[in-house]
Amino acid sequence: MEVETVLVPVDGSDAAMEAVEYATAIAERYDAVVHALYVLGENAAAAMEEGSVEAAAIAERGEQVMAGVRAVADGVPIDHSSAYGYSQTRLSQHPGSVILDVTESLEADFVVIPREPVTGDPEAVIEKAAEYVLAHASQPVLSV
């Protein structure tokens, strides 16, 4: 199997950071890069669309999460992006579909996704996506 890009969606949760550890181990094994996708939660997306939260504040939170990702990656090449996990105008947009869309656009070869318990925390976005990604991804998926 050839792996050049490992996608790992993150939301700042402990489970997502554990998934980063697995993603970097796979990237090391295959001499690949890790792409960390910061998925914005429903509240953050709505607040940005309403204008009640500055984009800079959301970007700062994303950079904090990415700093944690880089610390865990320990020398493995990392790139990253951010995406809305929800949209008030595109009802079919949810965290699982966003993750798969980014996977396809990056032509990622492997996905590592945390299998988080449903906590009800509105910012724990990935917990709602694992089942969808497992069911619909065309790439190999490791759920941790």
Side-chain angles (χ1 to χ4, degrees), residues 20-31:
V20 171
E21 292 176 21
Y22 282 90
T24 56
I26 292 165
E28 282 181 322
R29 166 68 176 87
Y30 289 98
D31 197 27

Side-chain angles (χ1 to χ4, degrees), residues 59-86:
E60 183 178 326
R61 172 66 179 140
E63 282 304 316
Q64 291 170 350
V65 171
M66 288 307 137
V69 168
R70 284 188 287 278
V72 170
D74 195 31
V76 171
I78 298 276
D79 62 359
H80 66 88
S81 61
S82 298
Y84 286 108
Y86 297 91

Side-chain angles (χ1 to χ4, degrees), residues 14-134:
D14 290 341
M17 289 309 179
E18 182 179 351
V20 171
E21 292 176 21
Y22 282 90
T24 56
I26 292 165
E28 282 181 322
R29 166 68 176 87
Y30 289 98
D31 197 27
V33 300
V34 171
H35 185 94
L37 172 64
Y38 178 55
V39 183
L40 296 174
E42 188 171 8
N43 291 346
M48 279 186 60
E49 287 178 8
E50 294 169 357
S52 61
V53 170
E54 292 291 322
I58 299 295
E60 183 178 326
R61 172 66 179 140
E63 282 304 316
Q64 291 170 350
V65 171
M66 288 307 137
V69 168
R70 284 188 287 278
V72 170
D74 195 31
V76 171
I78 298 276
D79 62 359
H80 66 88
S81 61
S82 298
Y84 286 108
Y86 297 91
S87 171
Q88 294 179 351
T89 58
R90 281 188 59 213
L91 297 179
S92 63
Q93 182 173 328
H94 54 83
S97 68
V98 168
I99 292 165
L100 292 180
D101 289 347
V102 171
T103 301
E104 292 300 321
S105 71
L106 292 174
E107 298 180 359
D109 307 295
F110 203 100
V111 179
V112 178
I113 190 161
R115 188 73 167 248
E116 298 182 20
V118 177
T119 62
D121 179 358
E123 294 309 310
V125 183
I126 308 302
E127 70 186 20
K128 300 170 184 170
E131 292 292 330
Y132 186 87
V133 172
L134 284 166

